[in-house]
Amino acid sequence: MNRRELFKGASALGLAASTPGFVSRAVAATTSPSVVAPVASPRQVLLLNKGWRFFAGDIPFSPIIGHDATYDAAKAGAARGAASPKFDDSAWQPVTLPHDFVSFQPIEESGNVDQGYRRRGVAWYRNMLRFEPQDDGKHIELQLDGVATFATVWFNGTLVNRNWSGYNSIYIDLTPYATYGDQLNSLVVRVDAEAMEGWWYEGGGLYRDAWIVKRNPVHIKTDGVFAHPVKDEHGWHVPVEVTIYNSGDKTETVRVHTDIGDEKSPAGTRPGGTKQVSIAPLGSTVVNYDIPFANPHLWSVDTPHLYQVTTSLTSETDAVLDQVTTHAGFRTQRFDAQKGFFLNDQPVKLKGVCLHQDHAGVGTAVPDGVNDFRLRRLKSLGCNAIRFSHNAQSKELMEACDRHGFLVMAENRNFNASPDYMAQLEWLVRRDRNHPSVFLWSVFNEEPMQGTPAGYQMVRRMSSVVKSLDTTRPVTAAMSGGLFTPLNVSHAVDVVGINYQQGQYDPFHAAHPDKPMFSSEDSSALMTRGAFVTDKKAQVLASYDDEAAGWGETHRDAWKQIDTRDFVAGTFVWTGFDYHGEPKPFNWPSNSSYFGIMDLCGFDKTAVHIHRAQWIKDKPVLGLVPHWNWAGSEGEPIMVMACTNAEEVELFVNGKSAGRQKTDKYEMNRWTVPYAAGRIEARAYNSAKVVSTVINETTGKPVALRLTQDRPALIADGRDAQPIMVEAVDVKGRTVPLANHMITYEIAGGAIIGLGNGDPISLEPEKGNRRSLFNGLGQVIVQSIEAQTGTLKLHATAPGLKPADLSIPVKAGPIPQSQPTRA
Ligand code: GAL
């Protein structure tokens, strides 16, 4: 390239030839290839959620005409249009990540039913990053945790990434193109959310966190520590694998060291692992050592004890160059083809749910505080396992599963054995293989090729990729057919997941007595929360567990088939929560699903009571439906259902026994009684003693609103969020079950980031400050504002009702450091 052409390139980059940063780097590159000395400082992990500008819609590139323009456009750094550093985005909307732009779109009949009838389309995001002169010489990586759906990323006018899935992270080395000081760096992402990877609501845009990670040129690669404890005939030990990369320009010798500790035995009090290693420039090295570990405190679903694993790189002069902390749980696992699953040599029946990642109000941009709420709701059912159907989740959610004690079936999105897609699978295993929660790798869900030799060959290859990275968990696939063809996927997996098809459990087990199996998906039972009369025209399904999809079963039938067979390791109920999209068996206006044990907000349907009764063993539980507000139906028969794990249960209607029944642990117990206002009461008995009582009373009319928070406080980090429950109550403070008032909210000291009510038919927006109650309940998701401590005040009003006020303390707490941007 001659000088004229160099300047031509400079102008295409949006940099004047006299720009100091441009000239000095160009000169440095030609005269002194080794100006950059390694910087001895540990990594900085900076959030890149601020400073973004957003444009909904596409900005097509103009046609290129003429030789010079064509020549210029073909060069690195020469991105044009909205991808160019020079583009003026001042009119774009400022947004903070995580940002699911689809969740802001209206619900329209012309939209895709499975995507919740939300308009999708193309959108653009732009940011300007400031790196300080002292960053020069560091290795700078961009991490986008989730971009839906197809993404193109430009940095300083160079196309640096194309990504083909909305579920995997994107890691990009920005170092070669970065500028420092006042010359800001342009980062542009075009997302194509017209593309879809699923038949459920997928959201769109930069809907997870973004990060800038600054490290020494010699550093531990992202997801580069694998330390998952194992137990063998020599006892417990932790094989550690550390992948180190050197982006510097000379060979470096470093000491790699790993320590494991917890509160009782902090890191350093036990032997660790150490190795010295040299890494060539632009080379990467894998270091292995094995750390013996006596008498660990075990991780289990009831006591999810975690250890911190700290891995550091130090220089020959003992300066810490890089450090990473991962978590580890000591637990063994095995599947037995006759007896099911064993955790720490104890049988554990999998009481699992399938989950999609979205929640009411926030779409796929779910704050950690809301995920924490969801996991606690699941624990309260006695649920011990989650299948993340049908894709990878955020890393924060995976960590939360470790902490809460869930067994996680981690699932790959795209069934494809070609290199682009194998890279997605490899990424999933690399990122998630340290989690003690992860106990199964699933390579697919219900693939038409599952019963064919092609499917078998693909799974064989995908399984071998998984095993090249992790041999401690079995590989599975969720099969909806093809189980008995001569060559099929069940021959290529370690454990067979059967979706539905409960009639195949026995024949499959008989044909393959040595193959472990479990129900990877079942039920698909259908309920509208809080409704007890089916009206298909109105798209309402009664919550008595009498309705299921044609391919599914009721909650009660599905569990009975699984619980009565030891060789079926357990269940994954479709689904734990309702989700946006896939509103089977209906279409418009229904726009969210009916399958959940809980609704879209996490409020109880009758399935909650059923699963508690089925799954909880260590204390008596009792649930009673329906509500007892049937004015106008006096004398008419009403079905009453009690769900308990006790031995007997008795129903009283207005103080009179309607019959005491032996508990049917699979069917639950039902009575049909004539309605009379007053109350119904269920009493559960063990050894003839009352162990639990539930009363449902006829309420008065609603007179006031009530707001109930999920957690006592929020942290003022601008990220912490929690759902608030909204109810209409009568004069005695009882929830009025059918109240459907429109509520208006005002907030101070925080922000409303989403609204929900669990009504699958509602067309009201989930953003803003107004939404109706549905069958007595509503939900507001509130979030703190960064650095604003004090009190979050929420005020709720509805015509004719006494308003409600809620004050939540917002406390100082750690605020994650952010990458400086133009904002
Ligand atoms: C299954 C499928 C799920 C969901 C479900 C609804 O066949 O795996 O993703 O569509 O049906 O019943």
Side-chain angles (χ1 to χ4, degrees), residues 136-150:
D136 195 352
K138 293 179 189 164
H139 181 92
I140 301 180
E141 183 173 88
L142 169 69
Q143 300 181 352
L144 302 172
D145 285 352
V147 189
T149 292
F150 296 159

PDB file of all heavy atoms in Angstrom, residues 136-150:
ATOM      1  N   ASP A 136      -3.147   1.078  26.859  1.00  0.00           N
ATOM      2  CA  ASP A 136      -2.362   0.687  25.687  1.00  0.00           C
ATOM      3  C   ASP A 136      -1.356  -0.381  26.126  1.00  0.00           C
ATOM      4  O   ASP A 136      -0.602  -0.184  27.078  1.00  0.00           O
ATOM      5  CB  ASP A 136      -1.630   1.924  25.137  1.00  0.00           C
ATOM      6  CG  ASP A 136      -1.113   1.681  23.732  1.00  0.00           C
ATOM      7  OD1 ASP A 136      -1.177   0.531  23.258  1.00  0.00           O
ATOM      8  OD2 ASP A 136      -0.627   2.650  23.123  1.00  0.00           O
ATOM      9  N   GLY A 137      -1.384  -1.490  25.474  1.00  0.00           N
ATOM     10  CA  GLY A 137      -0.502  -2.599  25.871  1.00  0.00           C
ATOM     11  C   GLY A 137      -1.252  -3.704  26.569  1.00  0.00           C
ATOM     12  O   GLY A 137      -0.748  -4.814  26.710  1.00  0.00           O
ATOM     13  N   LYS A 138      -2.469  -3.433  27.010  1.00  0.00           N
ATOM     14  CA  LYS A 138      -3.275  -4.509  27.605  1.00  0.00           C
ATOM     15  C   LYS A 138      -3.992  -5.283  26.504  1.00  0.00           C
ATOM     16  O   LYS A 138      -4.173  -4.780  25.394  1.00  0.00           O
ATOM     17  CB  LYS A 138      -4.326  -3.928  28.556  1.00  0.00           C
ATOM     18  CG  LYS A 138      -3.730  -3.283  29.787  1.00  0.00           C
ATOM     19  CD  LYS A 138      -4.832  -2.709  30.663  1.00  0.00           C
ATOM     20  CE  LYS A 138      -4.223  -1.871  31.784  1.00  0.00           C
ATOM     21  NZ  LYS A 138      -5.219  -1.012  32.423  1.00  0.00           N
ATOM     22  N   HIS A 139      -4.414  -6.453  26.857  1.00  0.00           N
ATOM     23  CA  HIS A 139      -5.251  -7.230  25.951  1.00  0.00           C
ATOM     24  C   HIS A 139      -6.694  -6.843  26.261  1.00  0.00           C
ATOM     25  O   HIS A 139      -7.155  -6.979  27.386  1.00  0.00           O
ATOM     26  CB  HIS A 139      -5.027  -8.720  26.209  1.00  0.00           C
ATOM     27  CG  HIS A 139      -5.830  -9.604  25.319  1.00  0.00           C
ATOM     28  ND1 HIS A 139      -5.349 -10.085  24.125  1.00  0.00           N
ATOM     29  CD2 HIS A 139      -7.084 -10.091  25.437  1.00  0.00           C
ATOM     30  CE1 HIS A 139      -6.273 -10.831  23.552  1.00  0.00           C
ATOM     31  NE2 HIS A 139      -7.343 -10.844  24.335  1.00  0.00           N
ATOM     32  N   ILE A 140      -7.404  -6.339  25.258  1.00  0.00           N
ATOM     33  CA  ILE A 140      -8.760  -5.823  25.498  1.00  0.00           C
ATOM     34  C   ILE A 140      -9.772  -6.697  24.761  1.00  0.00           C
ATOM     35  O   ILE A 140      -9.712  -6.825  23.537  1.00  0.00           O
ATOM     36  CB  ILE A 140      -8.879  -4.362  25.032  1.00  0.00           C
ATOM     37  CG1 ILE A 140      -7.857  -3.505  25.802  1.00  0.00           C
ATOM     38  CG2 ILE A 140     -10.294  -3.850  25.237  1.00  0.00           C
ATOM     39  CD1 ILE A 140      -7.877  -2.047  25.437  1.00  0.00           C
ATOM     40  N   GLU A 141     -10.667  -7.284  25.541  1.00  0.00           N
ATOM     41  CA  GLU A 141     -11.648  -8.192  24.928  1.00  0.00           C
ATOM     42  C   GLU A 141     -13.056  -7.666  25.160  1.00  0.00           C
ATOM     43  O   GLU A 141     -13.410  -7.231  26.248  1.00  0.00           O
ATOM     44  CB  GLU A 141     -11.522  -9.585  25.550  1.00  0.00           C
ATOM     45  CG  GLU A 141     -12.454 -10.607  24.912  1.00  0.00           C
ATOM     46  CD  GLU A 141     -12.191 -12.021  25.427  1.00  0.00           C
ATOM     47  OE1 GLU A 141     -12.788 -12.404  26.451  1.00  0.00           O
ATOM     48  OE2 GLU A 141     -11.378 -12.727  24.808  1.00  0.00           O
ATOM     49  N   LEU A 142     -13.864  -7.736  24.114  1.00  0.00           N
ATOM     50  CA  LEU A 142     -15.289  -7.432  24.219  1.00  0.00           C
ATOM     51  C   LEU A 142     -16.032  -8.742  24.428  1.00  0.00           C
ATOM     52  O   LEU A 142     -15.757  -9.735  23.748  1.00  0.00           O
ATOM     53  CB  LEU A 142     -15.756  -6.774  22.918  1.00  0.00           C
ATOM     54  CG  LEU A 142     -17.274  -6.627  22.743  1.00  0.00           C
ATOM     55  CD1 LEU A 142     -17.856  -5.610  23.719  1.00  0.00           C
ATOM     56  CD2 LEU A 142     -17.612  -6.228  21.298  1.00  0.00           C
ATOM     57  N   GLN A 143     -16.950  -8.730  25.382  1.00  0.00           N
ATOM     58  CA  GLN A 143     -17.785  -9.917  25.596  1.00  0.00           C
ATOM     59  C   GLN A 143     -19.245  -9.490  25.521  1.00  0.00           C
ATOM     60  O   GLN A 143     -19.691  -8.647  26.303  1.00  0.00           O
ATOM     61  CB  GLN A 143     -17.494 -10.542  26.964  1.00  0.00           C
ATOM     62  CG  GLN A 143     -16.050 -10.974  27.113  1.00  0.00           C
ATOM     63  CD  GLN A 143     -15.750 -11.624  28.451  1.00  0.00           C
ATOM     64  OE1 GLN A 143     -16.594 -11.634  29.360  1.00  0.00           O
ATOM     65  NE2 GLN A 143     -14.552 -12.168  28.592  1.00  0.00           N
ATOM     66  N   LEU A 144     -19.967 -10.057  24.588  1.00  0.00           N
ATOM     67  CA  LEU A 144     -21.419  -9.827  24.483  1.00  0.00           C
ATOM     68  C   LEU A 144     -22.071 -11.137  24.904  1.00  0.00           C
ATOM     69  O   LEU A 144     -21.913 -12.162  24.246  1.00  0.00           O
ATOM     70  CB  LEU A 144     -21.794  -9.460  23.041  1.00  0.00           C
ATOM     71  CG  LEU A 144     -21.091  -8.221  22.463  1.00  0.00           C
ATOM     72  CD1 LEU A 144     -21.390  -8.066  20.968  1.00  0.00           C
ATOM     73  CD2 LEU A 144     -21.512  -6.959  23.207  1.00  0.00           C
ATOM     74  N   ASP A 145     -22.783 -11.108  26.038  1.00  0.00           N
ATOM     75  CA  ASP A 145     -23.267 -12.361  26.618  1.00  0.00           C
ATOM     76  C   ASP A 145     -24.427 -12.981  25.855  1.00  0.00           C
ATOM     77  O   ASP A 145     -24.679 -14.172  25.969  1.00  0.00           O
ATOM     78  CB  ASP A 145     -23.666 -12.153  28.088  1.00  0.00           C
ATOM     79  CG  ASP A 145     -22.450 -12.040  28.994  1.00  0.00           C
ATOM     80  OD1 ASP A 145     -21.327 -12.270  28.502  1.00  0.00           O
ATOM     81  OD2 ASP A 145     -22.614 -11.722  30.187  1.00  0.00           O
ATOM     82  N   GLY A 146     -25.155 -12.151  25.101  1.00  0.00           N
ATOM     83  CA  GLY A 146     -26.263 -12.712  24.326  1.00  0.00           C
ATOM     84  C   GLY A 146     -26.812 -11.653  23.397  1.00  0.00           C
ATOM     85  O   GLY A 146     -27.176 -10.553  23.851  1.00  0.00           O
ATOM     86  N   VAL A 147     -26.834 -11.923  22.102  1.00  0.00           N
ATOM     87  CA  VAL A 147     -27.342 -10.983  21.105  1.00  0.00           C
ATOM     88  C   VAL A 147     -28.308 -11.744  20.208  1.00  0.00           C
ATOM     89  O   VAL A 147     -27.915 -12.684  19.525  1.00  0.00           O
ATOM     90  CB  VAL A 147     -26.202 -10.406  20.236  1.00  0.00           C
ATOM     91  CG1 VAL A 147     -26.743  -9.283  19.364  1.00  0.00           C
ATOM     92  CG2 VAL A 147     -25.040  -9.919  21.081  1.00  0.00           C
ATOM     93  N   ALA A 148     -29.581 -11.317  20.212  1.00  0.00           N
ATOM     94  CA  ALA A 148     -30.572 -12.045  19.415  1.00  0.00           C
ATOM     95  C   ALA A 148     -30.940 -11.207  18.197  1.00  0.00           C
ATOM     96  O   ALA A 148     -31.251 -10.030  18.338  1.00  0.00           O
ATOM     97  CB  ALA A 148     -31.812 -12.338  20.250  1.00  0.00           C
ATOM     98  N   THR A 149     -30.914 -11.835  16.985  1.00  0.00           N
ATOM     99  CA  THR A 149     -30.630 -13.246  16.821  1.00  0.00           C
ATOM    100  C   THR A 149     -29.327 -13.413  16.032  1.00  0.00           C
ATOM    101  O   THR A 149     -28.403 -14.011  16.512  1.00  0.00           O
ATOM    102  CB  THR A 149     -31.813 -13.943  16.113  1.00  0.00           C
ATOM    103  OG1 THR A 149     -32.908 -13.907  17.037  1.00  0.00           O
ATOM    104  CG2 THR A 149     -31.549 -15.365  15.734  1.00  0.00           C
ATOM    105  N   PHE A 150     -29.284 -12.873  14.820  1.00  0.00           N
ATOM    106  CA  PHE A 150     -28.009 -12.860  14.106  1.00  0.00           C
ATOM    107  C   PHE A 150     -27.351 -11.518  14.383  1.00  0.00           C
ATOM    108  O   PHE A 150     -28.013 -10.483  14.399  1.00  0.00           O
ATOM    109  CB  PHE A 150     -28.213 -13.019  12.598  1.00  0.00           C
ATOM    110  CG  PHE A 150     -28.800 -14.340  12.190  1.00  0.00           C
ATOM    111  CD1 PHE A 150     -29.427 -14.474  10.963  1.00  0.00           C
ATOM    112  CD2 PHE A 150     -28.716 -15.448  13.022  1.00  0.00           C
ATOM    113  CE1 PHE A 150     -29.971 -15.698  10.578  1.00  0.00           C
ATOM    114  CE2 PHE A 150     -29.262 -16.670  12.647  1.00  0.00           C
ATOM    115  CZ  PHE A 150     -29.891 -16.796  11.422  1.00  0.00           C
TER     116      PHE A 150
END
